[in-house]
Amino acid sequence: MATTPSVHPVDEVPPVRQLAAFGLQHVLAMYAGAVAVPLIVGGAMKLPPADLAYLITADLLVCGVATLLQCIGFWRFGVRLPIMQGCTFAAVSPMVMIGTTGGGLPAIYGAVIVAGLAIMLLAPVFGRLLRFFPPLVTGTVILIIGVSLMPVAGNWVAGGSGAEDFGDPGNIALAAFVLVVVLAVQRFAPPFLSRIAVLLGIAVGLAVAVPFGFTDFSGVSDAGWVGISTPFHFGAPAFEASAIVSMLVVALVCMTETTGDFIAVGEMTGRPAEPRSLADGLRADGLSTVLGGVFNTFPYTAFAQNVGLVGMTRVRSRWVVAAAGGMLVLLGLLPKLGAVVAAIPAPVLGGAGVVMFGTVAASGLRTLARVEFEGNHNLTVVAVSLAVGLLPVGVPTVYDAFPDWFQTVMHSGISAGCLTAIVLNLLFNHLPGKGAQAVDTPTDAATDTATDTGAAGPSEKVV
């Protein structure tokens, strides 16, 4: 994309052909995760196939609207960065509990609406907390985001969770083939093609998967041509106190995770998140969550899967992701088109996911390279935060004996690691005490961190 001095890369509008190609990459990267939440919640509630299909199309529609709101924005809503929105997995367990213990979908949607309103009210408070996210914390959080996403890629590589042929060598071979294609395109293809390496890898992988029987397009013929989600399709929302309390805990977790994603994308695009833009982005999250409760879907947050795609392709335009949001709206209105995308085999997505999620982790390491580790406790902050963040990733059942609210917070490696990094940074670098000291990040090191991804490197204090 041609760059003019007066336009930041985030605000550039690529040609239509590039918008479509880059946007489709983002859709394919997040589609499996986007439809997983309605499938899990609806399956746990034993909803009939027609209702499950309705939940999926409603989810895709609101995903698109939420992404457009976040990328384009209006007034004080939207961070105006390349951020994809999707249903948060942090809400799955509480929603399943609410839905299966008598409350049903109306109780879920009532709690979701209240949680969305709470996020909108708390957004300015979180915006003022940005000073507690120096490179020491942000680098650690970005690293945890990338590493905690690797099990998602691993499940895709093996064939998808619950697949009968999970772990089959053929699945892993297909994923490896896609990975090789992505790397070859990125290394040897012309600049434009290298930026759509993920899309080309998925396309080539799909072309190979079809003759070898990896695909199942039977759902395409069963899907309708047009589907429109209407407000409160499953009945008027019910406002139950216990359901609302559990969803408010989810809201705090979502705000923490989203803050980490905003900071990560800000680092990658060279437009660091600021208190006002962070508050605007969280406010948009809250509005999207309210819309989710009205239009029969669930809480929304920034999708970490797409953070890696931004870093890997170095395409920083928010209009590319806005185009992806438009595609999601179409998928939500045209179920048959959505069924075609859903037929892409999990191993194909897994081969691309390995690169994308690894890119997020590598971006965290790059940010940590700006931090001074000599003569202070910063290494301890990173070590303990990383360990706490990866505990639920490596041992998903580690907190099963704890109360539900605790599980909601700590089962997410991102929120657990982020909270730990913030607390330890305050303990070692803010609170007075024996040996406590404020450590400056060297100006020359920070200045030198502007890389080919355009990440800015202002001098900051790790305090």
Side-chain angles (χ1 to χ4, degrees):
M1 291 182 292
T3 306
T4 58
S6 59
V7 179
H8 193 281
V10 169
D11 298 319
E12 287 179 357
V13 182
V16 174
R17 182 184 65 176
Q18 294 184 18
L19 272 177
F22 295 150
L24 183 57
Q25 275 194 138
H26 278 281
V27 171
L28 296 179
M30 62 85 68
Y31 188 89
V35 301
V37 173
L39 282 174
I40 294 170
V41 175
M45 295 179 64
K46 296 180 171 56
L47 297 180
D51 286 347
L52 274 177
Y54 194 95
L55 286 179
I56 291 172
T57 54
D59 174 38
L60 292 173
L61 176 64
V62 181
C63 273
V65 173
T67 299
L68 290 169
L69 177 63
Q70 199 67 268
C71 295
I72 299 175
F74 75 92
W75 189 50
R76 296 298 302 276
F77 291 85
V79 71
R80 294 168 176 84
L81 286 172
I83 294 286
M84 287 291 288
Q85 297 287 106
C87 283
T88 175
F89 284 87
V92 169
S93 295
M95 289 192 300
V96 168
M97 188 174 299
I98 296 168
T100 56
T101 55
L105 287 173
I108 292 176
Y109 294 140
V112 168
I113 291 172
V114 173
L117 294 173
I119 292 173
M120 293 170 66
L121 291 174
L122 291 173
V125 177
F126 260 71
R128 289 192 290 270
L129 297 178
L130 193 61
R131 65 191 182 92
F132 297 114
F133 287 84
L136 173 64
V137 174
T138 59
T140 303
V141 171
I142 297 169
L143 176 60
I144 293 171
I145 291 173
V147 177
S148 64
L149 284 172
M150 292 312 298
V152 176
N155 280 322
W156 287 348
V157 166
S161 297
E164 293 181 1
D165 61 346
F166 188 86
D168 185 88
N171 292 335
I172 297 172
L174 177 59
F177 171 74
V178 173
L179 173 60
V180 170
V181 171
V182 171
L183 295 176
V185 171
Q186 196 171 24
R187 173 63 179 86
F188 300 108
F192 169 70
L193 291 180
S194 68
R195 288 176 174 172
I196 56 171
V198 170
L199 177 59
L200 292 177
I202 292 174
V204 174
L206 182 60
V208 171
V210 171
F212 283 94
F214 284 92
T215 53
D216 179 11
F217 290 101
S218 60
V220 178
S221 59
D222 297 335
W225 282 104
V226 178
I228 299 176
S229 179
T230 55
F232 307 125
H233 174 80
F234 295 99
F239 300 95
E240 298 182 1
S242 59
I244 291 172
V245 170
S246 64
M247 205 57 64
L248 288 175
V249 175
V250 171
L252 293 175
V253 174
C254 289
M255 295 179 79
T256 304
E257 291 184 346
T258 299
T259 298
D261 290 330
F262 287 168
I263 291 171
V265 174
E267 291 275 348
M268 293 175 179
T269 58
R271 178 176 282 177
E274 299 175 350
R276 173 165 176 161
S277 62
L278 174 59
D280 291 349
L282 292 172
R283 197 176 287 111
D285 258 16
L287 178 56
S288 299
T289 298
V290 172
L291 291 176
V294 172
F295 285 94
N296 320 292
T297 180
F298 307 116
Y300 284 86
T301 188
F303 244 42
Q305 287 93 322
N306 296 83
V307 174
L309 190 56
V310 172
M312 176 188 166
T313 62
R314 293 175 290 178
V315 176
R316 293 172 276 171
S317 172
R318 59 191 172 103
W319 297 100
V320 164
V321 180
M327 294 177 190
L328 287 173
V329 170
L330 285 178
L331 291 174
L333 296 175
L334 303 173
K336 195 172 287 291
L337 186 59
V340 172
V341 177
I344 297 174
V348 173
L349 297 174
V354 168
V355 186
M356 293 188 298
F357 304 159
T359 301
V360 178
S363 298
L365 292 175
R366 185 185 63 203
T367 301
L368 287 173
R370 294 159 46 185
V371 177
E372 177 60 56
F373 287 100
E374 296 295 331
N376 54 55
H377 301 288
N378 289 342
L379 191 63
T380 300
V381 175
V382 175
V384 176
S385 302
L386 185 62
V388 172
L390 295 185
L391 269 179
V393 176
V395 188
T397 59
V398 65
Y399 298 121
D400 281 3
F402 285 76
D404 293 336
W405 66 267
F406 187 89
Q407 292 185 46
T408 300
V409 176
M410 299 302 290
H411 266 166
S412 166
I414 298 173
S415 63
C418 182
L419 291 173
T420 304
I422 293 172
V423 171
L424 292 182
N425 180 57
L426 289 173
L427 175 65
F428 286 113
N429 293 322
H430 279 263
L431 298 181
K434 183 179 179 180
Q437 57 183 326
V439 183
D440 288 340
T441 300
T443 304
D444 55 348
T447 305
D448 292 340
T449 56
T451 67
D452 55 359
T453 64
S459 177
E460 298 182 67
K461 285 188 176 181
V462 187
V463 294

